[in-house]
Amino acid sequence: MARNKIALIGAGQIGGTLALLAGMKALGDIVLFDVAEGVPEGKALDLAELTPVEGFDAAYAGASSYDAIAGADVVIVTAGVARKPGMSRDDLLAINLKVMEQVGAGVRKYAPDAFVICITNPLDAMVWALQRSSGLPPEKVVGMAGVLDSARLRYFLAEEFGVSVEDVTAFVMGGHGDTMVPLVRYSTVGGIPVPDLIRMGWTSEERIAAIVQRTRDGGAEIVNLLKSGSAFYAPAASAIAMAESYLRDKKRVLPVAALLDGEYGLRDIYVGVPAVIGARGVERIVEVELDRSERAMFDRSVAAVEGLVEACLKIAPGLGK
Ligand code: A3D
């Protein structure tokens, strides 16, 4: 059976890590695409030289021309500018919107059957722009944010309780940004919801509130430490989990930015929701019940995403229907 083909648009910090993880997980052959001269070729060669040491067979190629992604099964997009200290995700909008239009045109022409995962920030607006400019079906174009945000929440909860990260599930909805909605009620340790653990005296409301805030600020915490660039290991691993669920038809239930079509009473907007990811892409969006305060947080988050999409439409009115 021929190996799958994975195209990585953007061969920067996340792109390089994606290429390493995709190879190590035997997901397929990998093409790194970037506009930075020599970078995709250099990273591809370095990674190819790692394969005999690690003992896996994957072809790595670097390219700066879109025909190299022809026939890709999965396209993961990190192209654009990363956040610098003091810069909000929203500041990135105008620059990265232009990049999404170029990437969308490349994907439309060379990889129209791919499952496309967008990571470029501001995430919920960029994935929307990518779907519009590529013209691919919405169930084949998703954004990665919730897997990362919930991984951060899982890690912090595991630390708080002194338990394995494997036994902690966590749930983050909404847009990727300061208004994300971490749902403590749907987060569990060994199946026990966090509010029950508070009642059992394992932790306090205040400590959980602090963990929720740290999750919301998770991206900025790393930006401030790194000084240049933003998180890349965990974002890459999160997108790889989504790609793997698609390629292997695992039907994992993952929080992803998906285009809503009536779910949660919303239409035509990308926002983070739990979804089943399988061979058909987004196979089902899970509509969980939100209580009044959760719904209010979700609505605030949706309003923030709507604001970003409006800003995109001002810059590129052609993306509107
Ligand atoms: P970085 O290391 O700068 O890589 C971006 C790459 O994109 C660079 O190599 C650029 O040369 C390349 N690039 C720029 N313009 C183009 C273009 N027109 N076509 C092709 N390639 C281009 O950044 P990174 O890998 O650290 O981050 C990539 C993106 O992910 C940024 O927008 C981050 O803000 C975003 N990000 C999102 C999350 C989420 O959870 C959503 C987390 C972390 C980072």
Side-chain angles (χ1 to χ4, degrees), residues 19-27 30 50 54 56 58 60:
L20 176 63
L21 292 174
M24 302 272 285
K25 288 187 161 250
L27 293 189
I30 293 142
L50 165 148
E54 283 298 324
F56 65 84
Y60 280 98

Side-chain angles (χ1 to χ4, degrees), residues 9-15 33-36 39 66 78-83 92 96 99 102-103 118-121 123 144-145 148-149 152 176 229-232 235:
I9 313 293
Q13 296 275 65
I14 300 179
F33 172 99
D34 204 295
V35 292
V39 170
Y66 273 102
T78 59
V81 177
R83 224 161 27 129
L92 297 173
N96 287 351
V99 176
Q102 292 166 16
V103 176
C118 181
I119 307 183
T120 301
N121 270 321
L123 190 271
M144 187 297 295
L148 171 65
D149 295 331
R152 286 178 173 150
H176 181 62
S230 52
F232 54 99

Side-chain angles (χ1 to χ4, degrees), residues 161-208:
F161 295 123
V163 299
S164 167
V165 288
E166 276 187 71
D167 294 321
V168 180
T169 63
F171 196 147
V172 178
M173 286 182 66
H176 181 62
D178 309 330
T179 60
M180 73 176 77
V181 187
L183 289 179
V184 169
R185 207 159 58 90
Y186 287 118
S187 302
T188 67
V189 174
I192 307 163
V194 169
D196 289 13
L197 291 163
I198 297 174
R199 278 194 288 278
M200 289 155 63
W202 278 47
T203 185
S204 63
E205 298 254 4
E206 294 70 33
R207 291 180 68 89
I208 293 298

Side-chain angles (χ1 to χ4, degrees), residues 37-95:
E37 206 190 317
V39 170
E41 292 84 358
K43 288 200 179 181
L45 182 58
D46 191 10
L47 285 158
E49 290 168 357
L50 165 148
T51 60
V53 182
E54 283 298 324
F56 65 84
D57 293 298
Y60 280 98
S64 50
S65 149
Y66 273 102
D67 53 6
I69 74 163
D73 300 286
V74 168
V75 175
I76 308 181
V77 180
T78 59
V81 177
R83 224 161 27 129
K84 313 230 163 31
M87 191 196 256
S88 80
R89 289 189 181 89
D90 308 357
D91 294 336
L92 297 173
L93 186 125
I95 306 171

